[in-house]
Amino acid sequence: MVVVTDPRVLLTGFPGFLGSGLVERLLERGDGPVACLVEPKYYDQATRRACELTDAVGPDGQIQLYEGDITMTGLDIENSTEIFASIEELYHLAAVYDLAVDAELADRVNVRGTRNVLDVAEDIDVERFHYVSTCYVSGRYDGVFTEDHLQEGQKFNNHYEESKYRAEVAVQERMAAGLPATIYRPAIVVGDSETGETDKYDGPYYLLSLLLAQPTWGSLLFTVPGSANAELNVVPRDFVIDAIAAIGTQDDSVGQVYQLCDPAPLSVPAFIDAMAAAAGHRTVRLPTTKSVARRVSRWLGTYEINVEPAALDYLDHPTRYACPNTRQALSGTEIEVPPFESYVDSFVEFAKADGAH
């Protein structure tokens, strides 16, 4: 691969689920060269993905990989300030995306790692800092959580949520002090809306895994108190990438927060019904408590049926999400959130074909 000496964009989180797709969008519109910070253990995978992207959308040399570590000062790159002196925009996507992550790892990667990336962004005086947060910085906020909300005294479902909240607080503090930043909060991200393609089976895929492990004529699924009034806010990967790429070019998006969520999501029961219909399964809802459901989920794991107990907290999640900033920013584009029912078939079929169940 040809070495690029003057990349103008730096991205963390490559070759991750969202990171590789965003790099592809940036190259397609001519925003390269792109420098990608890569953990050493993912370097070979990143090299293969970079070659695929340059073969598809641009000449060799448009992607430059740098081995580094966001948990270390200077991203563990000697003379990082000099090396990245040409960088104008920095996209920070790297994080531990795991509902069951322990507190120490979540703090080290998601919180301290974000602070380290912010330090580099300020040291090289970037023109734009793009940070990918999550709608679930809301924790279990009881009510409608808007783009203006953040520090609301909320409690959290898990260490992942709390660490992303603390990381966004750090970004907003720097933003208030003058860092030209934009924050994006995706809801639950699933595969591509056209193909269903994904390499990340978590969130609602746990429900799908449980469904597909059972007979089509009768599949038991959990229901817990509060599920009927809870929403499962799901958005496809391509919408999130398109929205970030589009909003990030708008001058007036500096200093703003954008929730990349479905403004009209399905309730938990309706989501399960849509998924079951696409899979051709007749479902039977099993009323239970979350504590019992967690024990059953751990037991199912011994039979290689992957249902993460931490995901059960989203079956009675009390928060609803509003996205007026996002809707306004995308109003002049053709980018909008497709309803889950429009791509549920692809969601199910890709997972079945990939053996995710």
Side-chain angles (χ1 to χ4, degrees):
M1 185 177 296
V2 176
V3 174
V4 177
T5 56
D6 294 312
R8 57 172 302 273
V9 177
L10 173 61
L11 180 140
T12 72
F14 185 82
F17 182 55
L18 291 176
S20 61
L22 185 54
V23 168
E24 184 173 12
R25 291 293 191 280
L26 296 175
L27 293 181
E28 284 174 342
R29 72 181 187 200
D31 281 3
V34 178
C36 296
L37 187 78
V38 180
E39 283 188 76
K41 64 181 178 181
Y42 296 125
Y43 194 83
D44 289 345
Q45 179 186 349
T47 299
R48 291 192 296 271
R49 182 59 177 147
C51 289
E52 292 170 358
L53 289 178
T54 53
D55 286 346
V57 299
D60 197 24
Q62 286 293 294
I63 301 175
Q64 177 61 42
L65 306 180
Y66 292 86
E67 289 192 32
D69 185 343
I70 66 169
T71 69
M72 305 293 288
T73 301
L75 311 183
D76 202 28
I77 295 177
E78 190 173 355
N79 300 320
S80 59
T81 303
E82 289 77 12
I83 288 174
F84 296 133
S86 63
I87 296 298
E88 299 170 7
E89 298 191 61
L90 197 162
Y91 291 82
H92 179 39
L93 290 79
V96 174
Y97 296 95
D98 180 358
L99 299 181
V101 65
D102 66 70
E104 192 283 328
L105 180 59
D107 179 74
R108 177 160 51 89
V109 177
N110 294 353
V111 183
R112 284 179 280 165
T114 295
R115 290 180 181 141
N116 289 334
V117 177
L118 285 165
D119 288 343
V120 169
E122 291 185 332
D123 287 344
I124 61 178
D125 195 23
V126 295
E127 296 178 10
R128 291 293 297 272
F129 183 84
H130 305 269
Y131 174 62
V132 177
S133 181
T134 172
C135 277
Y136 295 89
V137 295
S138 67
R140 293 186 68 83
Y141 180 85
D142 192 359
V144 178
F145 197 82
T146 73
E147 290 142 329
D148 293 330
H149 287 91
L150 183 58
Q151 301 184 61
E152 309 299 329
Q154 63 267 47
K155 297 184 183 301
F156 299 96
N157 285 310
N158 47 61
H159 298 305
Y160 165 73
E161 287 185 356
E162 185 171 6
S163 67
K164 291 294 286 184
Y165 161 80
R166 290 171 56 208
E168 186 177 324
V169 168
V171 175
Q172 291 217 22
E173 288 174 348
R174 305 284 184 107
M175 189 163 66
L179 180 69
T182 304
I183 296 171
Y184 312 91
R185 295 177 182 165
I188 300 169
V189 184
V190 296
D192 186 273
S193 64
E194 295 292 333
T195 66
E197 182 179 359
T198 183
D199 61 3
K200 188 170 178 288
Y201 292 101
D202 58 8
Y205 290 100
Y206 294 131
L207 290 173
L208 181 60
S209 175
L210 177 58
L211 182 75
L212 296 178
Q214 300 179 72
T216 58
W217 51 264
S219 302
L220 288 173
L221 291 177
F222 301 121
T223 181
V224 301
S227 288
N229 297 319
E231 296 177 346
L232 204 57
N233 203 301
V234 169
V235 290
R237 172 181 181 258
D238 48 314
F239 162 74
V240 174
I241 291 168
D242 288 342
I244 292 173
I247 294 171
T249 64
Q250 300 174 7
D251 292 339
D252 58 0
S253 66
V254 174
Q256 299 297 320
V257 177
Y258 297 91
Q259 292 193 156
L260 309 181
C261 60
D262 186 344
L266 295 177
S267 67
V268 170
F271 184 94
I272 290 173
D273 287 345
M275 186 175 62
H281 280 237
R282 178 179 179 272
T283 60
V284 178
R285 292 191 177 89
L286 180 65
T288 187
T289 64
K290 280 198 291 184
S291 60
V292 171
R294 287 190 185 98
R295 289 197 294 272
V296 173
S297 296
R298 287 190 284 269
W299 174 76
L300 288 171
T302 64
Y303 292 91
E304 298 184 347
I305 300 174
N306 186 21
V307 181
E308 171 54 57
L312 298 171
D313 287 318
Y314 298 91
L315 296 181
D316 66 349
H317 191 65
T319 314
R320 287 172 164 78
Y321 299 98
C323 52
N325 290 355
T326 300
R327 298 180 78 171
Q328 180 177 355
L330 297 179
S331 62
T333 73
E334 297 181 354
I335 302 167
E336 59 182 359
V337 185
F340 181 67
E341 302 97 318
S342 71
Y343 62 91
V344 63
D345 290 341
S346 298
F347 168 87
V348 170
E349 288 307 315
F350 185 88
K352 289 172 65 176
D354 202 36
H357 59 290

